[in-house]
Amino acid sequence: MAAQTQRQPTASYRTPPVHMDPGEVALETALLALADPVRQILVRELAQAGDWERQCGSFDVPVTKATLSKHFAVLREAGLLEQRDAGAKRLNRLRRAEFDARFPGLLDLVLRHEGAS
Amino acid sequence: MAAQTQRQPTASYRTPPVHMDPGEVALETALLALADPVRQILVRELAQAGDWERQCGSFDVPVTKATLSKHFAVLREAGLLEQRDAGAKRLNRLRRAEFDARFPGLLDLVLRHEGAS
DNA sequence: CCGAGTGTACGTAAGCCATCGAACACTTTG
DNA sequence: CAAAGTGTTCGATGGCTTACGTACACTCGG
C-alpha cells in the first residue's frame, strides 16, 4: 500500500518552541507582553484566524523577521501562543481558553480595544 | 460662627498635580502602568483604603521618596490616580469607577492577583 | 522663627527592551 | 543540485525606565 511514497514534512528539525504553562504565568509577564503595540497586532490577527492557520511570516507588522521572531518568543513566555513546526514553516495558535482561565477578561480587553480609540 | 479661627491649610501652594482623563488613556499606557510591581502595591493599598485617606509618604514600598513621586506621576498619567493638595501633604484617591468604565475588569484583575500566586 | 516633615525637580547611572543586519540551518521549489 | 523561502540566533545599538542622591519649596509644630 504505497507506504512512504508520500514524504511527510519533518515535524521538527530545529529545536522545538518552548512553551510556558499559562497557569503559571505571572501577571506582570502577561501585562508586559500585551502592552507592546506590535504584539497587540499579532494577537488580534491570531484571534481572527483559526488555529494553526497562520504561519509566522504572514503577519502584517512593521518589523523585520528577527524582531518578529523575538515577539513570538515573548508571547509564548506569556502563555499566549502555541507554535508547531510543519516543515520549514511554523504554525501558530492563540491559547485563548487557557489564557482566559488564568486572566479572565484580559485578552478580551485587548481584542476589543482595536485601533487605539 | 467662629469663622476663620481655624486656619485652613493652603489648598495648593505648588503646581497642582496634572490629571489625565481616564476616558482618553491608551490601552498601552494602562497596561504599562499596571505592569510595574511597585505600582501594583500602590494600587492595592489604595484600593483597601478610603478616598483621600492616604498621603504619599504612607505607602510601604521599597523605594525612595523621589522614585515614589515618579510612580505617582505614572499612575496619574494612566488615569488611575487622583491627587489633591492639603497643606504640605498630598492626598490620594484611586479612580476606580472611571478607570473601570474605560477598561472593564482590568483593575479588578490586578487587585485579585495579589502576592504573585 | 527654627527645625522637622512632606513632596517635587533635576541630573545621573544602570538596566532592560525593541530593533536591525548578518549569518546560519533546513525545506521547498524548479 | 541550485535558488528561493522560512524562521532562529547572535551581536550591536539606541531609547526608555527605574532608581538614587541632592537640592529645593513650602507647611506645620514647638
Side-chain angles (χ1 to χ4, degrees):
Chain A
M1 45 274 282
Q4 74 238 52
T5 85
Q6 188 74 354
R7 277 236 303 178
Q8 283 305 109
T10 312
S12 173
Y13 61 89
R14 57 192 143 188
T15 308
V18 180
H19 288 112
M20 185 71 172
D21 177 8
E24 292 178 3
V25 173
L27 176 59
E28 182 179 343
T29 306
L31 293 177
L32 286 177
L34 288 172
D36 185 275
V38 172
R39 288 191 287 266
Q40 287 185 7
I41 296 177
L42 296 178
V43 165
R44 293 196 186 106
E45 291 198 18
L46 276 170
Q48 289 179 330
D51 286 1
W52 313 121
E53 206 175 291
R54 310 270 316 246
Q55 73 197 57
C56 292
S58 74
F59 292 84
D60 186 25
V61 97
V63 292
T64 60
K65 284 194 306 178
T67 303
L68 182 55
S69 183
K70 173 69 174 164
H71 279 302
F72 282 127
V74 172
L75 289 177
R76 259 178 321 192
E77 272 305 299
L80 276 160
L81 180 69
E82 189 177 356
Q83 294 186 304
R84 176 157 56 139
D85 286 338
K89 307 185 197 304
R90 184 162 277 192
L91 302 178
N92 299 280
R93 177 181 92 83
L94 186 61
R95 306 184 74 169
R96 199 154 180 173
E98 304 101 299
F99 189 84
D100 225 62
R102 174 74 172 146
F103 303 112
L106 181 52
L107 187 48
D108 287 337
L109 196 64
V110 173
L111 295 179
R112 190 175 334 129
H113 268 261
E114 195 91 27
S117 157
Chain B
M1 45 277 290
Q4 72 235 58
T5 86
Q6 188 75 353
R7 274 237 303 178
Q8 284 306 110
T10 311
S12 173
Y13 62 89
R14 57 192 142 189
T15 308
V18 180
H19 288 112
M20 184 71 174
D21 177 7
E24 291 178 3
V25 172
L27 175 60
E28 182 180 343
T29 305
L31 293 177
L32 286 177
L34 288 172
D36 184 275
V38 172
R39 288 191 288 264
Q40 287 185 7
I41 296 178
L42 296 177
V43 165
R44 293 197 186 105
E45 291 200 18
L46 276 170
Q48 289 180 330
D51 286 1
W52 313 120
E53 204 175 291
R54 310 271 316 249
Q55 73 196 56
C56 292
S58 74
F59 292 84
D60 187 25
V61 288
V63 293
T64 60
K65 283 194 305 178
T67 304
L68 182 56
S69 183
K70 174 68 175 165
H71 280 300
F72 281 126
V74 173
L75 289 177
R76 257 179 292 146
E77 271 304 299
L80 276 160
L81 180 69
E82 188 178 356
Q83 293 186 305
R84 178 156 56 139
D85 286 337
K89 307 186 197 303
R90 184 163 278 191
L91 302 178
N92 300 279
R93 176 181 92 84
L94 185 61
R95 308 184 73 169
R96 200 155 180 172
E98 304 101 298
F99 190 84
D100 224 62
R102 173 76 172 146
F103 303 113
L106 181 52
L107 187 48
D108 287 337
L109 196 65
V110 173
L111 295 179
R112 191 176 332 128
H113 269 259
E114 195 93 25
S117 158

PDB file of all heavy atoms in Angstrom, chain B residues 28-58:
ATOM      1  N   GLU B  28      -2.203  50.787  25.931  1.00  0.00           N
ATOM      2  CA  GLU B  28      -0.792  50.543  26.194  1.00  0.00           C
ATOM      3  C   GLU B  28      -0.331  51.246  27.463  1.00  0.00           C
ATOM      4  O   GLU B  28       0.389  50.667  28.284  1.00  0.00           O
ATOM      5  CB  GLU B  28       0.034  51.024  24.995  1.00  0.00           C
ATOM      6  CG  GLU B  28       1.505  50.757  25.159  1.00  0.00           C
ATOM      7  CD  GLU B  28       2.311  51.238  23.962  1.00  0.00           C
ATOM      8  OE1 GLU B  28       1.720  51.479  22.891  1.00  0.00           O
ATOM      9  OE2 GLU B  28       3.547  51.377  24.098  1.00  0.00           O
ATOM     10  N   THR B  29      -0.746  52.481  27.632  1.00  0.00           N
ATOM     11  CA  THR B  29      -0.383  53.248  28.825  1.00  0.00           C
ATOM     12  C   THR B  29      -0.901  52.575  30.085  1.00  0.00           C
ATOM     13  O   THR B  29      -0.176  52.454  31.085  1.00  0.00           O
ATOM     14  CB  THR B  29      -0.972  54.665  28.730  1.00  0.00           C
ATOM     15  OG1 THR B  29      -0.550  55.275  27.511  1.00  0.00           O
ATOM     16  CG2 THR B  29      -0.540  55.515  29.910  1.00  0.00           C
ATOM     17  N   ALA B  30      -2.123  52.143  30.035  1.00  0.00           N
ATOM     18  CA  ALA B  30      -2.733  51.497  31.199  1.00  0.00           C
ATOM     19  C   ALA B  30      -2.007  50.203  31.553  1.00  0.00           C
ATOM     20  O   ALA B  30      -1.687  49.952  32.718  1.00  0.00           O
ATOM     21  CB  ALA B  30      -4.205  51.209  30.921  1.00  0.00           C
ATOM     22  N   LEU B  31      -1.724  49.396  30.551  1.00  0.00           N
ATOM     23  CA  LEU B  31      -1.064  48.113  30.805  1.00  0.00           C
ATOM     24  C   LEU B  31       0.336  48.331  31.358  1.00  0.00           C
ATOM     25  O   LEU B  31       0.752  47.656  32.309  1.00  0.00           O
ATOM     26  CB  LEU B  31      -1.000  47.295  29.513  1.00  0.00           C
ATOM     27  CG  LEU B  31      -2.347  46.810  28.980  1.00  0.00           C
ATOM     28  CD1 LEU B  31      -2.170  46.075  27.650  1.00  0.00           C
ATOM     29  CD2 LEU B  31      -3.029  45.902  29.992  1.00  0.00           C
ATOM     30  N   LEU B  32       1.060  49.273  30.795  1.00  0.00           N
ATOM     31  CA  LEU B  32       2.414  49.544  31.280  1.00  0.00           C
ATOM     32  C   LEU B  32       2.388  50.058  32.712  1.00  0.00           C
ATOM     33  O   LEU B  32       3.229  49.687  33.528  1.00  0.00           O
ATOM     34  CB  LEU B  32       3.111  50.555  30.369  1.00  0.00           C
ATOM     35  CG  LEU B  32       3.554  50.007  29.018  1.00  0.00           C
ATOM     36  CD1 LEU B  32       4.169  51.086  28.154  1.00  0.00           C
ATOM     37  CD2 LEU B  32       4.544  48.857  29.219  1.00  0.00           C
ATOM     38  N   ALA B  33       1.431  50.896  33.015  1.00  0.00           N
ATOM     39  CA  ALA B  33       1.336  51.434  34.371  1.00  0.00           C
ATOM     40  C   ALA B  33       1.088  50.312  35.374  1.00  0.00           C
ATOM     41  O   ALA B  33       1.685  50.280  36.450  1.00  0.00           O
ATOM     42  CB  ALA B  33       0.218  52.467  34.451  1.00  0.00           C
ATOM     43  N   LEU B  34       0.233  49.398  35.022  1.00  0.00           N
ATOM     44  CA  LEU B  34      -0.142  48.331  35.954  1.00  0.00           C
ATOM     45  C   LEU B  34       0.848  47.176  35.968  1.00  0.00           C
ATOM     46  O   LEU B  34       0.777  46.296  36.831  1.00  0.00           O
ATOM     47  CB  LEU B  34      -1.535  47.811  35.608  1.00  0.00           C
ATOM     48  CG  LEU B  34      -2.667  48.783  35.945  1.00  0.00           C
ATOM     49  CD1 LEU B  34      -3.996  48.278  35.406  1.00  0.00           C
ATOM     50  CD2 LEU B  34      -2.750  48.987  37.450  1.00  0.00           C
ATOM     51  N   ALA B  35       1.775  47.161  35.039  1.00  0.00           N
ATOM     52  CA  ALA B  35       2.716  46.046  34.966  1.00  0.00           C
ATOM     53  C   ALA B  35       3.799  46.139  36.033  1.00  0.00           C
ATOM     54  O   ALA B  35       4.335  45.129  36.472  1.00  0.00           O
ATOM     55  CB  ALA B  35       3.348  45.991  33.575  1.00  0.00           C
ATOM     56  N   ASP B  36       4.110  47.327  36.474  1.00  0.00           N
ATOM     57  CA  ASP B  36       5.195  47.511  37.436  1.00  0.00           C
ATOM     58  C   ASP B  36       4.809  47.037  38.837  1.00  0.00           C
ATOM     59  O   ASP B  36       3.741  47.370  39.346  1.00  0.00           O
ATOM     60  CB  ASP B  36       5.586  48.990  37.482  1.00  0.00           C
ATOM     61  CG  ASP B  36       6.780  49.222  38.385  1.00  0.00           C
ATOM     62  OD1 ASP B  36       6.566  49.363  39.606  1.00  0.00           O
ATOM     63  OD2 ASP B  36       7.896  49.227  37.877  1.00  0.00           O
ATOM     64  N   PRO B  37       5.680  46.258  39.464  1.00  0.00           N
ATOM     65  CA  PRO B  37       5.411  45.683  40.786  1.00  0.00           C
ATOM     66  C   PRO B  37       5.178  46.736  41.869  1.00  0.00           C
ATOM     67  O   PRO B  37       4.283  46.575  42.704  1.00  0.00           O
ATOM     68  CB  PRO B  37       6.671  44.891  41.103  1.00  0.00           C
ATOM     69  CG  PRO B  37       7.403  44.739  39.833  1.00  0.00           C
ATOM     70  CD  PRO B  37       6.976  45.826  38.933  1.00  0.00           C
ATOM     71  N   VAL B  38       5.979  47.777  41.854  1.00  0.00           N
ATOM     72  CA  VAL B  38       5.818  48.838  42.850  1.00  0.00           C
ATOM     73  C   VAL B  38       4.448  49.502  42.692  1.00  0.00           C
ATOM     74  O   VAL B  38       3.725  49.713  43.670  1.00  0.00           O
ATOM     75  CB  VAL B  38       6.934  49.890  42.720  1.00  0.00           C
ATOM     76  CG1 VAL B  38       6.650  51.073  43.615  1.00  0.00           C
ATOM     77  CG2 VAL B  38       8.277  49.273  43.055  1.00  0.00           C
ATOM     78  N   ARG B  39       4.093  49.801  41.472  1.00  0.00           N
ATOM     79  CA  ARG B  39       2.800  50.447  41.243  1.00  0.00           C
ATOM     80  C   ARG B  39       1.650  49.514  41.576  1.00  0.00           C
ATOM     81  O   ARG B  39       0.586  49.951  42.008  1.00  0.00           O
ATOM     82  CB  ARG B  39       2.710  50.945  39.795  1.00  0.00           C
ATOM     83  CG  ARG B  39       3.594  52.141  39.533  1.00  0.00           C
ATOM     84  CD  ARG B  39       3.311  52.802  38.189  1.00  0.00           C
ATOM     85  NE  ARG B  39       3.782  52.016  37.058  1.00  0.00           N
ATOM     86  CZ  ARG B  39       4.952  52.195  36.454  1.00  0.00           C
ATOM     87  NH1 ARG B  39       5.766  53.127  36.911  1.00  0.00           N
ATOM     88  NH2 ARG B  39       5.306  51.460  35.429  1.00  0.00           N
ATOM     89  N   GLN B  40       1.848  48.237  41.418  1.00  0.00           N
ATOM     90  CA  GLN B  40       0.803  47.288  41.811  1.00  0.00           C
ATOM     91  C   GLN B  40       0.567  47.368  43.311  1.00  0.00           C
ATOM     92  O   GLN B  40      -0.582  47.348  43.769  1.00  0.00           O
ATOM     93  CB  GLN B  40       1.195  45.863  41.419  1.00  0.00           C
ATOM     94  CG  GLN B  40       1.109  45.611  39.922  1.00  0.00           C
ATOM     95  CD  GLN B  40       1.396  44.154  39.561  1.00  0.00           C
ATOM     96  OE1 GLN B  40       1.535  43.299  40.439  1.00  0.00           O
ATOM     97  NE2 GLN B  40       1.500  43.870  38.272  1.00  0.00           N
ATOM     98  N   ILE B  41       1.630  47.474  44.077  1.00  0.00           N
ATOM     99  CA  ILE B  41       1.483  47.633  45.528  1.00  0.00           C
ATOM    100  C   ILE B  41       0.692  48.891  45.845  1.00  0.00           C
ATOM    101  O   ILE B  41      -0.251  48.865  46.644  1.00  0.00           O
ATOM    102  CB  ILE B  41       2.867  47.699  46.200  1.00  0.00           C
ATOM    103  CG1 ILE B  41       3.611  46.377  46.012  1.00  0.00           C
ATOM    104  CG2 ILE B  41       2.724  48.031  47.677  1.00  0.00           C
ATOM    105  CD1 ILE B  41       5.015  46.382  46.601  1.00  0.00           C
ATOM    106  N   LEU B  42       1.075  49.975  45.205  1.00  0.00           N
ATOM    107  CA  LEU B  42       0.387  51.244  45.451  1.00  0.00           C
ATOM    108  C   LEU B  42      -1.104  51.123  45.170  1.00  0.00           C
ATOM    109  O   LEU B  42      -1.940  51.532  45.980  1.00  0.00           O
ATOM    110  CB  LEU B  42       0.991  52.344  44.562  1.00  0.00           C
ATOM    111  CG  LEU B  42       2.452  52.687  44.825  1.00  0.00           C
ATOM    112  CD1 LEU B  42       2.946  53.737  43.845  1.00  0.00           C
ATOM    113  CD2 LEU B  42       2.644  53.159  46.256  1.00  0.00           C
ATOM    114  N   VAL B  43      -1.415  50.546  44.038  1.00  0.00           N
ATOM    115  CA  VAL B  43      -2.821  50.410  43.642  1.00  0.00           C
ATOM    116  C   VAL B  43      -3.578  49.533  44.636  1.00  0.00           C
ATOM    117  O   VAL B  43      -4.709  49.848  45.026  1.00  0.00           O
ATOM    118  CB  VAL B  43      -2.912  49.826  42.219  1.00  0.00           C
ATOM    119  CG1 VAL B  43      -4.310  49.333  41.924  1.00  0.00           C
ATOM    120  CG2 VAL B  43      -2.493  50.870  41.194  1.00  0.00           C
ATOM    121  N   ARG B  44      -2.957  48.470  45.073  1.00  0.00           N
ATOM    122  CA  ARG B  44      -3.639  47.569  46.016  1.00  0.00           C
ATOM    123  C   ARG B  44      -3.862  48.240  47.358  1.00  0.00           C
ATOM    124  O   ARG B  44      -4.939  48.117  47.944  1.00  0.00           O
ATOM    125  CB  ARG B  44      -2.818  46.295  46.196  1.00  0.00           C
ATOM    126  CG  ARG B  44      -2.767  45.459  44.940  1.00  0.00           C
ATOM    127  CD  ARG B  44      -2.321  44.021  45.198  1.00  0.00           C
ATOM    128  NE  ARG B  44      -2.148  43.314  43.926  1.00  0.00           N
ATOM    129  CZ  ARG B  44      -0.967  43.038  43.389  1.00  0.00           C
ATOM    130  NH1 ARG B  44       0.140  43.391  44.010  1.00  0.00           N
ATOM    131  NH2 ARG B  44      -0.896  42.402  42.242  1.00  0.00           N
ATOM    132  N   GLU B  45      -2.860  48.956  47.833  1.00  0.00           N
ATOM    133  CA  GLU B  45      -3.033  49.641  49.115  1.00  0.00           C
ATOM    134  C   GLU B  45      -4.093  50.735  48.996  1.00  0.00           C
ATOM    135  O   GLU B  45      -4.879  50.951  49.926  1.00  0.00           O
ATOM    136  CB  GLU B  45      -1.693  50.238  49.577  1.00  0.00           C
ATOM    137  CG  GLU B  45      -0.673  49.183  49.965  1.00  0.00           C
ATOM    138  CD  GLU B  45       0.440  49.747  50.853  1.00  0.00           C
ATOM    139  OE1 GLU B  45       0.262  50.814  51.441  1.00  0.00           O
ATOM    140  OE2 GLU B  45       1.499  49.079  50.943  1.00  0.00           O
ATOM    141  N   LEU B  46      -4.113  51.379  47.858  1.00  0.00           N
ATOM    142  CA  LEU B  46      -5.115  52.423  47.646  1.00  0.00           C
ATOM    143  C   LEU B  46      -6.520  51.836  47.627  1.00  0.00           C
ATOM    144  O   LEU B  46      -7.476  52.449  48.110  1.00  0.00           O
ATOM    145  CB  LEU B  46      -4.849  53.151  46.325  1.00  0.00           C
ATOM    146  CG  LEU B  46      -3.828  54.277  46.384  1.00  0.00           C
ATOM    147  CD1 LEU B  46      -3.460  54.752  44.994  1.00  0.00           C
ATOM    148  CD2 LEU B  46      -4.365  55.422  47.221  1.00  0.00           C
ATOM    149  N   ALA B  47      -6.626  50.651  47.057  1.00  0.00           N
ATOM    150  CA  ALA B  47      -7.946  50.021  46.936  1.00  0.00           C
ATOM    151  C   ALA B  47      -8.510  49.640  48.303  1.00  0.00           C
ATOM    152  O   ALA B  47      -9.721  49.628  48.513  1.00  0.00           O
ATOM    153  CB  ALA B  47      -7.850  48.788  46.041  1.00  0.00           C
ATOM    154  N   GLN B  48      -7.603  49.347  49.218  1.00  0.00           N
ATOM    155  CA  GLN B  48      -8.061  48.939  50.551  1.00  0.00           C
ATOM    156  C   GLN B  48      -8.445  50.132  51.409  1.00  0.00           C
ATOM    157  O   GLN B  48      -9.255  50.014  52.327  1.00  0.00           O
ATOM    158  CB  GLN B  48      -6.976  48.120  51.246  1.00  0.00           C
ATOM    159  CG  GLN B  48      -6.803  46.731  50.636  1.00  0.00           C
ATOM    160  CD  GLN B  48      -5.715  45.937  51.329  1.00  0.00           C
ATOM    161  OE1 GLN B  48      -4.756  46.520  51.850  1.00  0.00           O
ATOM    162  NE2 GLN B  48      -5.844  44.616  51.328  1.00  0.00           N
ATOM    163  N   ALA B  49      -7.847  51.275  51.125  1.00  0.00           N
ATOM    164  CA  ALA B  49      -8.138  52.468  51.918  1.00  0.00           C
ATOM    165  C   ALA B  49      -9.305  53.239  51.307  1.00  0.00           C
ATOM    166  O   ALA B  49      -9.713  52.994  50.175  1.00  0.00           O
ATOM    167  CB  ALA B  49      -6.905  53.361  51.981  1.00  0.00           C
ATOM    168  N   GLY B  50      -9.820  54.189  52.050  1.00  0.00           N
ATOM    169  CA  GLY B  50     -10.887  55.031  51.537  1.00  0.00           C
ATOM    170  C   GLY B  50     -10.311  56.198  50.740  1.00  0.00           C
ATOM    171  O   GLY B  50      -9.106  56.457  50.780  1.00  0.00           O
ATOM    172  N   ASP B  51     -11.171  56.890  50.020  1.00  0.00           N
ATOM    173  CA  ASP B  51     -10.736  58.031  49.224  1.00  0.00           C
ATOM    174  C   ASP B  51     -10.110  59.115  50.094  1.00  0.00           C
ATOM    175  O   ASP B  51     -10.622  59.430  51.169  1.00  0.00           O
ATOM    176  CB  ASP B  51     -11.931  58.614  48.473  1.00  0.00           C
ATOM    177  CG  ASP B  51     -12.337  57.725  47.307  1.00  0.00           C
ATOM    178  OD1 ASP B  51     -11.705  56.668  47.110  1.00  0.00           O
ATOM    179  OD2 ASP B  51     -13.301  58.079  46.603  1.00  0.00           O
ATOM    180  N   TRP B  52      -9.030  59.678  49.616  1.00  0.00           N
ATOM    181  CA  TRP B  52      -8.317  60.789  50.272  1.00  0.00           C
ATOM    182  C   TRP B  52      -7.812  60.404  51.653  1.00  0.00           C
ATOM    183  O   TRP B  52      -7.521  61.253  52.469  1.00  0.00           O
ATOM    184  CB  TRP B  52      -9.214  62.021  50.404  1.00  0.00           C
ATOM    185  CG  TRP B  52      -9.925  62.352  49.145  1.00  0.00           C
ATOM    186  CD1 TRP B  52     -11.281  62.400  48.955  1.00  0.00           C
ATOM    187  CD2 TRP B  52      -9.341  62.690  47.883  1.00  0.00           C
ATOM    188  NE1 TRP B  52     -11.565  62.744  47.666  1.00  0.00           N
ATOM    189  CE2 TRP B  52     -10.394  62.923  46.977  1.00  0.00           C
ATOM    190  CE3 TRP B  52      -8.018  62.815  47.424  1.00  0.00           C
ATOM    191  CZ2 TRP B  52     -10.180  63.269  45.654  1.00  0.00           C
ATOM    192  CZ3 TRP B  52      -7.814  63.160  46.107  1.00  0.00           C
ATOM    193  CH2 TRP B  52      -8.886  63.380  45.236  1.00  0.00           C
ATOM    194  N   GLU B  53      -7.707  59.131  51.891  1.00  0.00           N
ATOM    195  CA  GLU B  53      -7.315  58.682  53.218  1.00  0.00           C
ATOM    196  C   GLU B  53      -5.800  58.600  53.358  1.00  0.00           C
ATOM    197  O   GLU B  53      -5.255  58.827  54.428  1.00  0.00           O
ATOM    198  CB  GLU B  53      -7.941  57.298  53.451  1.00  0.00           C
ATOM    199  CG  GLU B  53      -8.134  56.946  54.909  1.00  0.00           C
ATOM    200  CD  GLU B  53      -8.870  55.608  55.034  1.00  0.00           C
ATOM    201  OE1 GLU B  53     -10.066  55.551  54.694  1.00  0.00           O
ATOM    202  OE2 GLU B  53      -8.238  54.624  55.457  1.00  0.00           O
ATOM    203  N   ARG B  54      -5.119  58.292  52.263  1.00  0.00           N
ATOM    204  CA  ARG B  54      -3.682  58.061  52.357  1.00  0.00           C
ATOM    205  C   ARG B  54      -2.878  59.198  51.753  1.00  0.00           C
ATOM    206  O   ARG B  54      -3.157  59.665  50.655  1.00  0.00           O
ATOM    207  CB  ARG B  54      -3.336  56.760  51.608  1.00  0.00           C
ATOM    208  CG  ARG B  54      -4.189  55.565  51.964  1.00  0.00           C
ATOM    209  CD  ARG B  54      -3.641  54.786  53.106  1.00  0.00           C
ATOM    210  NE  ARG B  54      -2.223  54.556  53.041  1.00  0.00           N
ATOM    211  CZ  ARG B  54      -1.677  53.367  52.826  1.00  0.00           C
ATOM    212  NH1 ARG B  54      -2.435  52.314  52.611  1.00  0.00           N
ATOM    213  NH2 ARG B  54      -0.366  53.226  52.862  1.00  0.00           N
ATOM    214  N   GLN B  55      -1.823  59.573  52.443  1.00  0.00           N
ATOM    215  CA  GLN B  55      -0.909  60.555  51.867  1.00  0.00           C
ATOM    216  C   GLN B  55       0.271  59.826  51.239  1.00  0.00           C
ATOM    217  O   GLN B  55       0.502  58.643  51.511  1.00  0.00           O
ATOM    218  CB  GLN B  55      -0.436  61.536  52.930  1.00  0.00           C
ATOM    219  CG  GLN B  55       0.549  60.949  53.910  1.00  0.00           C
ATOM    220  CD  GLN B  55       0.689  61.795  55.141  1.00  0.00           C
ATOM    221  OE1 GLN B  55      -0.297  62.076  55.826  1.00  0.00           O
ATOM    222  NE2 GLN B  55       1.893  62.220  55.430  1.00  0.00           N
ATOM    223  N   CYS B  56       0.981  60.535  50.380  1.00  0.00           N
ATOM    224  CA  CYS B  56       2.006  59.905  49.541  1.00  0.00           C
ATOM    225  C   CYS B  56       3.045  59.124  50.333  1.00  0.00           C
ATOM    226  O   CYS B  56       3.439  58.024  49.947  1.00  0.00           O
ATOM    227  CB  CYS B  56       2.705  60.963  48.693  1.00  0.00           C
ATOM    228  SG  CYS B  56       1.642  61.684  47.426  1.00  0.00           S
ATOM    229  N   GLY B  57       3.496  59.699  51.437  1.00  0.00           N
ATOM    230  CA  GLY B  57       4.572  59.060  52.175  1.00  0.00           C
ATOM    231  C   GLY B  57       4.166  57.827  52.957  1.00  0.00           C
ATOM    232  O   GLY B  57       5.022  57.164  53.554  1.00  0.00           O
ATOM    233  N   SER B  58       2.903  57.496  52.950  1.00  0.00           N
ATOM    234  CA  SER B  58       2.395  56.457  53.843  1.00  0.00           C
ATOM    235  C   SER B  58       2.381  55.062  53.227  1.00  0.00           C
ATOM    236  O   SER B  58       1.831  54.133  53.820  1.00  0.00           O
ATOM    237  CB  SER B  58       0.973  56.813  54.277  1.00  0.00           C
ATOM    238  OG  SER B  58       0.062  56.608  53.217  1.00  0.00           O
TER     239      SER B  58
END
